[in-house]
Amino acid sequence: MALRGEYWWVRLRPDGLDWARCMSGEGTPRQEGRSGDWSELPAPPGARLMLCVPGERVRVHRVRLPGGTRRRQRAILPYALEEQLLRDPSEYHFVPLPRPKSQPETPVAVVERELMDHWLDGLEEHGWRPRVLVPEFLAIAPPPPGTWFLDAAESPFLLRLPSGGGGAALPGTLVGQPPGSLLLALEQARVAPATLRVRVANEEQRARVGEWTTWLESREMDLEIQEDGRSRPAWLARQEQPAAGCNLLTGPYASREDPRVWGRRLAPVAGLALGLLVVAGIQWVLEGQRIRAEHARLEAAIEETYREAFPDARNLVDPRYQMEQALEQLRQREEDPGESDGFLERISRLASRLAENEEDTEVESLAFERDELTLEVSMGDYEALERLERRLGENGSVEVDRAEMEDGRVSASLRLREED
């Protein structure tokens, strides 16, 4: 709950206000004073306030709560404390205080809603934002375990118990024996303290509290006296900021700037956003896997196509690029006969000669090496072979390497060489 930066500590009194302009991390207020009412408070609009209210108007009860969520426990509080309240539970505001795990009972601060409304009335009209509201005894830093702290410098006395114990405002006057309200608190304590630490304002008060020694020793309790001449508001303003669980601004009184309130309000939206992010992440992973699988399939298809088009290729690094380069080379050869080996042109002319032949001619294979074409054909008879030889000879020399009859057809091998 620690307020960061500048804040205004304000203590409410029946006849006015004590105030101090504080800076987090600094032990001494930068300004302090008194005001007759809220209109005289010098805090600027937008200032953050820490309110310290009269401790005698806030009671701390102890109750054993069943397990469950914090919301469920809050709902049970009015019924658990009903017998200890003077009025209908709906007229009270309940705030569970921090409880150590070793303690079975939870301290609960109880204050009338009418008082809460009165303390906060008019603050927003001045542009002030109350962030913390604590009774005077909870504004005191908790003592170490086994020690009770009593501020006896002014009346009513302020009793602060160790962390998880809360405290109380005790009526009474300072005399030679502990006040009855303190004796009653000691009798009701489940575990009596080993040390009672008392703050006094002067030597006279120290002497009166010193007379408690005999009474406390009979109950095996040590007495420590701290003399501090500062007034109660000046002393309280210099205390460390109370723990978050001591703030009475909870439930309907919660500060709109309280990060816990914002956290509860934003939790559904944050959960929805987180769910959307998870779904988007899963979709992104699945889409990535689909794209990788499609890419691998396309790469395999390109490689297969390349090997079909260029079966003599050995080093396959980038099939797409290598295919583009090979096709470009073939295109350049076709467009620039001076730099080509004439293969495409010769195939084209050979195809036209073969197309002119109306006889039963079958081309079985075609091979090209250097500047020669080797053509394997099958024909009906030797006369048809002679006629094909004459037609092909119009473009260059033709040699018949082999001609033999197989299964009633002439199988021949022709070598074609174009003349320059």
Side-chain angles (χ1 to χ4, degrees), residues 83-136:
E83 296 182 357
Q84 303 181 50
L85 304 176
L86 299 177
R87 300 161 64 178
D88 189 270
S90 62
E91 300 183 29
Y92 292 92
H93 177 54
F94 303 92
V95 181
L97 300 178
R99 175 185 66 86
K101 295 182 179 180
S102 59
Q103 295 183 8
E105 295 182 332
T106 299
V108 180
V110 181
V111 59
E112 297 176 13
R113 291 181 179 270
E114 183 179 352
L115 273 175
M116 292 288 293
D117 296 335
H118 173 69
W119 289 333
L120 299 174
D121 184 39
L123 295 184
E124 292 191 0
E125 296 179 4
H126 290 82
W128 298 323
R129 294 175 288 184
R131 297 290 302 278
V132 180
L133 188 150
V134 292
E136 292 171 316

Side-chain angles (χ1 to χ4, degrees), residues 103-344:
Q103 295 183 8
E105 295 182 332
T106 299
V108 180
V110 181
V111 59
E112 297 176 13
R113 291 181 179 270
E114 183 179 352
L115 273 175
M116 292 288 293
D117 296 335
H118 173 69
W119 289 333
L120 299 174
D121 184 39
L123 295 184
E124 292 191 0
E125 296 179 4
H126 290 82
W128 298 323
R129 294 175 288 184
R131 297 290 302 278
V132 180
L133 188 150
V134 292
E136 292 171 316
F137 55 83
L138 291 182
I140 303 172
T147 300
W148 284 16
F149 182 89
L150 181 70
D151 178 19
E154 297 181 17
S155 183
F157 303 151
L158 300 180
L159 176 64
R160 185 65 164 104
L161 305 182
S163 179
L170 306 178
T173 57
L174 194 58
V175 294
Q177 64 179 9
S181 54
L182 176 61
L183 297 178
L184 180 61
L186 289 170
E187 290 176 359
Q188 294 179 346
R190 291 183 175 274
V191 179
T195 302
L196 177 64
R197 187 175 299 166
V198 182
R199 173 181 174 267
V200 298
N202 49 51
E203 188 63 32
E204 180 182 355
Q205 291 183 346
R206 174 186 285 272
R208 290 180 181 177
V209 172
E211 297 177 9
W212 299 1
T213 303
T214 303
W215 187 91
L216 294 175
E217 285 180 347
S218 63
R219 289 163 176 78
E220 299 181 350
M221 294 173 55
D222 296 330
L223 176 64
E224 295 182 4
I225 302 176
Q226 295 180 348
E227 185 173 342
D228 190 328
R230 293 174 294 184
S231 64
R232 176 170 287 175
W235 177 70
L236 287 176
R238 288 162 173 78
Q239 294 290 306
E240 296 180 359
Q241 294 186 25
C246 297
N247 188 4
L248 301 188
L249 295 181
T250 62
Y253 300 101
S255 170
R256 289 178 296 179
E257 293 188 357
D258 190 334
R260 294 173 298 171
V261 175
W262 279 108
R264 288 193 294 270
R265 292 176 178 175
L266 294 178
V269 178
L272 179 60
L274 180 60
L276 292 176
L277 287 176
V278 171
V279 172
I282 294 175
Q283 290 180 341
W284 179 79
V285 171
L286 295 177
E287 183 66 13
Q289 292 177 345
R290 187 191 68 79
I291 291 175
R292 285 192 293 270
E294 182 68 14
H295 180 266
R297 187 188 67 78
L298 291 175
E299 288 288 345
I302 292 174
E303 180 177 344
E304 182 179 357
T305 302
Y306 180 79
R307 291 193 180 278
E308 290 178 357
F310 305 96
D312 295 334
R314 293 293 180 266
N315 297 326
L316 192 61
V317 179
D318 188 344
R320 181 182 301 174
Y321 177 76
Q322 290 175 260
M323 183 179 293
E324 290 177 353
Q325 294 298 310
L327 293 175
E328 183 64 25
Q329 291 175 4
L330 292 176
R331 188 179 296 109
Q332 290 177 358
R333 288 179 180 180
E334 183 178 359
E335 294 176 353
D336 190 358
E339 296 183 1
S340 68
D341 54 14
F343 174 73
L344 296 178

Side-chain angles (χ1 to χ4, degrees), residues 22-34:
C22 304
M23 184 67 66
S24 62
E26 297 181 0
T28 303
R30 297 189 172 186
Q31 289 179 272
E32 52 190 327
R34 282 194 168 191

